[in-house]
């Protein structure tokens, strides 16, 4: 081998060094941008965070300013939306990946799913207001907002579940079927546990989108901020309820920037917790890693 062509003596090109520098600079810029946002929101909003702020509702008579009702409404929206969207999304992904034969119908369903994920949220809000709120006569309620958000996060859960199922080796399928297991038993005991990290990631990403959504909920869930009455936790889903993002918008529009930054800090903490939870659960349910 010619000495000049040896890997050890390979010349470092100036363009390679420049591109490496651009890559590291881009990564450093992304990290710095995240840290700047966290530090700025924390500096502006952490002073507003008090036990009273987190455990009371805004009341002119009592002279309190709080977001407890908005936190409860956000939890309602998350739970109801996931109860609707997760079974449908996971079931659709299992059908498309394991039962449906590749063809025009599957391509049409996948194209429809991708199109749904690209529709602006304001359009979902208008549709939810007209169909769920007016046609089905649900009005401005947490249920109307949850049904609307279910349409929004359904493509996210479906696509993530599909990709997770595709990562499972075909040898798992053929081995289970060869041992006499039925197809549904194979899916239930082999495929779903093996793809659980991807499914959980899709669900938690959907939670992140639910928490951060405001435009669609402004048209469907309303802006109520009161806590549920005693014994009325179930009937609360048919009442108007504004989430944290809705209250953030309303506070900033009224120039209550201290309250807005306080809510922003709470939302930031929630988003960070969701990301850490995603990492933890993905590692916890990764069966290949446990082996």
């Amino acid at each position: 081998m010619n000495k000049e062509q040896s890997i050890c003596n390979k010349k470092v090109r100036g363009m390679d060094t420049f591109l490496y520098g651009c890559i590291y600079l881009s990564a450093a810029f992304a990290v710095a941008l995240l840290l700047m946002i966290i530090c700025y929101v924390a500096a502006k909003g952490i002073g507003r965070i008090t036990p009273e702020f987190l455990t009371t509702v805004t009341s002119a008579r009592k002279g309190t300013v709080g977001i407890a009702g908005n936190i409860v409404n956000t939890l309602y929206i998350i739970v109801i939306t996931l109860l609707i969207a997760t079974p449908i999304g996971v079931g659709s992904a299992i059908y498309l990946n394991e039962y449906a034969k590749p063809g025009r119908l599957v391509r049409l369903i996948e194209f429809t799913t991708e199109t749904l994920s690209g529709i602006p949220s304001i359009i979902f809000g208008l549709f939810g207001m007209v169909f769920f709120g007016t046609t089905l006569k649900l009005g401005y309620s947490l249920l109307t907002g949850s049904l609307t958000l279910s349409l929004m996060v359904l493509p996210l859960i479906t696509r993530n579940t599909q990709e997770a199922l595709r990562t499972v080796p075909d040898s798992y399928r053929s081995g289970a079927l060869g041992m006499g297991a039925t197809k549904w038993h194979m899916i239930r005991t082999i495929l779903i546990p093996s793809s659980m990290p991807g499914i959980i990631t899709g669900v938690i990403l959907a939670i992140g989108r639910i928490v951060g959504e405001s435009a669609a909920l402004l048209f469907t869930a309303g802006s109520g901020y009161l806590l549920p009455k005693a014994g009325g936790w179930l009937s609360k889903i048919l009442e108007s309820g504004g989430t944290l993002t809705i209250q953030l918008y309303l506070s900033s529009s009224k120039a209550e920037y201290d309250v807005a930054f306080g809510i922003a800090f709470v939302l930031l903490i929630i988003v960070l917790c969701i990301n850490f939870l995603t990492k933890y659960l993905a590692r916890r349910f990764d069966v290949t890693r446990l082996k």
Side-chain angles (χ1 to χ4, degrees):
M1 179 183 293
N2 190 353
K3 186 177 180 180
E4 295 180 355
Q5 296 177 349
S6 174
I7 296 177
C8 297
N9 297 321
K10 186 177 180 180
K11 295 182 179 179
V12 178
R13 299 181 179 179
M15 182 58 69
D16 292 342
T17 304
F18 173 74
L19 292 177
Y20 275 122
C22 291
I23 291 171
Y24 285 116
L25 183 63
S26 300
F29 177 76
V31 174
L33 183 61
L34 174 61
L35 292 176
M36 287 173 57
I37 294 174
I38 293 175
C39 293
Y40 183 79
V41 174
K44 291 284 188 177
I46 196 170
R48 187 64 186 178
I49 305 301
T50 61
E52 182 185 19
F53 184 70
L54 298 175
T55 58
T56 62
V57 297
T58 301
S59 174
R61 183 171 60 87
K62 296 180 180 180
T64 58
V65 177
I67 58 172
N70 303 111
I71 294 175
V72 172
N73 292 335
T74 303
L75 294 177
Y76 266 102
I77 291 285
I78 291 174
V79 172
I80 299 172
T81 301
L82 291 183
L83 287 177
I84 298 172
T86 302
I88 298 175
V90 174
S92 301
I94 292 174
Y95 169 76
L96 292 172
N97 204 69
E98 304 299 326
Y99 287 98
K101 295 181 180 180
R104 187 172 299 176
L105 177 61
V106 173
R107 291 195 299 269
L108 177 62
I109 295 174
E110 291 180 346
F111 174 77
T112 304
T113 303
E114 293 172 356
T115 304
L116 275 175
S117 61
I119 294 178
S121 58
I122 192 69
I123 297 179
F124 280 105
L126 289 172
F127 173 79
M129 180 183 66
V130 173
F131 182 72
F132 298 120
T134 304
T135 304
L136 300 184
K137 298 181 179 180
L138 295 176
Y140 285 98
S141 64
L142 293 173
L143 182 59
T144 304
S146 298
L147 290 170
T148 304
L149 288 183
S150 298
L151 301 178
M152 297 177 60
V153 303
L154 187 61
L156 181 62
I157 297 176
T158 302
R159 296 300 293 174
N160 273 274
T161 304
Q162 271 190 284
E163 295 301 323
L165 291 172
R166 288 170 182 169
T167 60
V168 180
D170 289 334
S171 58
Y172 287 18
R173 298 173 174 85
S174 57
L177 296 175
M179 294 176 65
T182 62
K183 190 162 188 176
W184 171 241
H185 187 268
M186 178 267 295
I187 292 172
R188 181 170 54 86
T189 59
I190 303 296
L191 293 189
I192 293 181
S194 299
S195 58
M196 190 59 69
I199 297 175
I200 292 174
T201 299
V203 171
I204 296 180
L205 289 175
I207 294 175
R209 183 167 186 184
I210 295 169
V211 171
E213 186 55 48
S214 59
L217 293 177
L218 194 61
F219 285 93
T220 55
S223 58
Y225 57 85
L226 299 179
L227 288 168
K229 298 178 181 178
W233 291 90
L234 187 59
S235 61
K236 176 67 176 177
I237 64 175
L238 297 177
E239 299 176 4
S240 173
T243 59
L244 288 169
T245 51
I246 296 296
Q247 189 59 43
L248 173 61
Y249 166 75
L250 295 176
S251 297
S252 60
S253 64
K254 292 185 290 187
E256 298 174 351
Y257 297 115
D258 56 336
V259 177
F261 274 107
I263 299 173
F265 182 73
V266 173
L267 283 171
L268 191 60
I269 295 299
I270 292 175
V271 171
L272 289 176
C273 290
I274 288 173
N275 280 277
F276 286 128
L277 183 63
T278 303
K279 297 294 182 182
Y280 170 75
L281 291 179
R283 290 174 177 268
R284 177 68 177 80
F285 289 95
D286 191 350
V287 294
T288 59
R289 191 172 179 270
L290 293 176
K291 294 179 180 178

